[in-house]
Amino acid sequence: MDGVTDTAYRQIVKKVFDKYNQDKNRKLLLFTEFVSSDGFVHNFEGIKDHLVFENEEKPLICQIFGSNLQKLVYTAQEIDKNYDFDGIELNIGCPSPKIMRLGAGSGLMIDKEKTLEIIKALSESIKKPFSIKTRSGINEQDKPKQKEFIIKASEFCSMISIHGRTMKQEHHGEVDLDFVLDVKKKANPNCKIIFNGWINREKLQDKNFLEKISILDGIMIGQGAIWDPWIFTDYIPTWEEKKEIIKEHIKLNVKYKWERRWVVEFRKFVGSYIKWIENASKYRVELMKTESLDEFLQILNKI
């Protein structure tokens, strides 16, 4: 998630997982913020922070986006040669109008034959495992063609993550799990199929849901993890434990970003971290107005 899954947050998620996960069969795979191939080619200084990571975050996949074949291949090859990621993924699912105007993200679902050519070219141009992240279609009417597209794409991918909503739905409405289950039955068996789409703690306690997804190779949690890095485990933290993680997250933000920038960027996490505490709205307003690390910590210590 752009602006969210930077190295600081990934380190927090990994630390929480390593400390609290009790299920030895459960593995954690992390992803970078998505990296613009246009930016990589024409404005590397503007996107280089997206490629920063620490070894403790691994296994880690670098996700790229774009629509120009030559730029995508160049970006993938350079990342493949010069960065120690565990795989490279093409985003074919972001519904942001800004991204789609570039023909990228969900925009790649429109001309499916052209996108299949891009997928094939990318998978053949790098040594690292190649994967894609996509959706169940542009709209409801597009779902049959999108399913056929994903099944064809599975011949060139080591993994495909599918958000069970259409591009038109964005992040709202029902999630079509059956679409993903059917893809799993028909796709290349050597390609892992991952389900994504509003997975929260309630879903993870639902025995019917867990039984249904048992044929899949994994689940991807995005927005549900913004306010709950513990969601990848079964552990529910106390407020004091959560407060300590907030402080560690802040310090990591300071380490990788100049102070004014981290203050602004960390605001997206504030409301989520304190969502369920008493007087949350009052403290959220105070924390949102902070301009320095000391001021932020002073307010946090009062809660």
Side-chain angles (χ1 to χ4, degrees):
M1 293 177 287
D2 197 43
V4 177
T5 56
D6 58 12
T7 184
Y9 189 58
R10 294 192 305 263
Q11 289 178 52
I12 288 297
V13 170
K14 187 67 186 313
K15 179 172 183 175
V16 167
F17 183 82
D18 289 345
K19 183 174 182 178
Y20 294 107
N21 177 52
Q22 299 296 316
D23 185 348
K24 300 306 178 185
N25 293 317
R26 187 178 296 176
K27 307 298 181 184
L28 181 69
L29 177 62
L30 298 173
F31 294 78
T32 66
E33 302 171 85
F34 62 1
V35 176
S36 165
S37 58
D38 285 351
F40 192 94
V41 173
H42 300 296
N43 181 28
F44 184 74
E45 285 297 311
I47 61 92
K48 66 180 183 180
D49 287 354
H50 285 45
L51 297 164
V52 173
F53 70 94
E54 304 293 345
N55 283 333
E56 59 260 36
E57 300 169 42
K58 291 167 67 65
L60 176 64
I61 289 180
C62 179
Q63 189 181 93
I64 64 176
F65 76 96
S67 60
N68 180 279
L69 174 59
Q70 287 71 34
K71 292 178 184 179
L72 282 167
V73 168
Y74 175 79
T75 300
Q77 288 180 330
E78 288 297 301
I79 292 172
D80 189 34
K81 286 187 294 185
N82 299 311
Y83 294 86
D84 189 25
F85 291 110
D86 297 281
I88 297 175
E89 178 167 285
L90 176 64
N91 183 292
I92 310 178
C94 178
S96 164
K98 178 181 176 182
I99 301 300
M100 289 188 63
R101 279 196 294 271
L102 301 173
S106 285
L108 287 174
M109 295 192 293
I110 296 171
D111 189 340
K112 301 183 194 301
E113 288 304 314
K114 178 182 175 182
T115 300
L116 278 172
E117 293 174 7
I118 291 174
I119 290 170
K120 184 175 185 294
L122 283 171
S123 69
E124 293 175 348
S125 70
I126 60 176
K127 295 179 180 179
K128 287 183 174 66
F130 174 72
S131 60
I132 64 172
K133 166 79 187 301
T134 190
R135 285 176 171 262
S136 60
I138 298 170
N139 50 35
E140 286 297 317
Q141 293 72 35
D142 183 55
K143 280 185 174 182
K145 291 182 180 179
Q146 178 69 358
K147 186 178 293 184
E148 182 181 346
F149 160 76
I150 296 173
I151 292 167
K152 289 179 180 178
S154 71
E155 297 297 326
F156 310 106
C157 299
S158 63
M159 181 174 72
I160 298 178
S161 300
I162 307 170
H163 187 123
R165 293 188 180 102
T166 64
M167 177 271 290
K168 187 176 181 180
Q169 286 180 282
E170 297 184 350
H171 297 286
H172 311 288
E174 291 296 316
V175 181
D176 192 347
L177 173 57
D178 290 335
F179 178 96
V180 183
L181 295 174
D182 195 42
V183 168
K184 173 60 182 175
K185 294 172 184 175
K186 298 172 180 176
N188 180 352
N190 295 319
C191 176
K192 292 181 172 62
I193 302 297
I194 310 298
F195 172 70
N196 170 238
W198 196 240
I199 298 171
N200 52 31
R201 284 190 178 271
E202 288 72 28
K203 281 268 187 72
L204 295 173
Q205 299 298 318
D206 184 335
K207 291 182 179 179
N208 290 331
F209 173 74
L210 294 177
E211 185 176 346
K212 276 188 173 182
I213 65 170
S214 63
I215 70 166
L216 299 174
D217 299 289
I219 56 175
M220 174 183 280
I221 304 175
Q223 291 189 341
I226 299 176
W227 54 82
D228 187 7
W230 291 266
I231 196 171
F232 300 100
T233 75
D234 296 320
Y235 189 77
I236 300 177
T238 65
W239 168 241
E240 289 304 315
E241 289 171 326
K242 185 177 285 190
K243 190 188 294 188
E244 288 307 306
I245 287 295
I246 294 172
K247 290 178 182 178
E248 289 187 43
H249 192 176
I250 292 168
K251 289 173 183 177
L252 283 170
N253 268 264
V254 173
K255 177 181 177 181
Y256 292 102
K257 300 168 185 176
W258 49 278
E259 186 162 354
R260 174 60 186 163
R261 180 180 168 193
W262 85 254
V263 168
V264 173
E265 292 194 3
F266 198 76
R267 288 171 181 169
K268 67 174 71 69
F269 294 100
V270 168
S272 302
Y273 268 132
I274 69 172
K275 191 173 183 179
W276 306 112
I277 69 169
E278 189 175 353
N279 296 320
S281 59
K282 171 181 176 292
Y283 291 119
R284 182 170 59 248
V285 171
E286 290 185 37
L287 290 167
M288 288 288 192
K289 292 180 179 179
T290 57
E291 297 290 336
S292 70
L293 175 60
D294 288 342
E295 186 181 359
F296 191 101
L297 292 176
Q298 285 175 14
I299 297 170
L300 185 64
N301 287 328
K302 292 191 304 182
I303 303 177

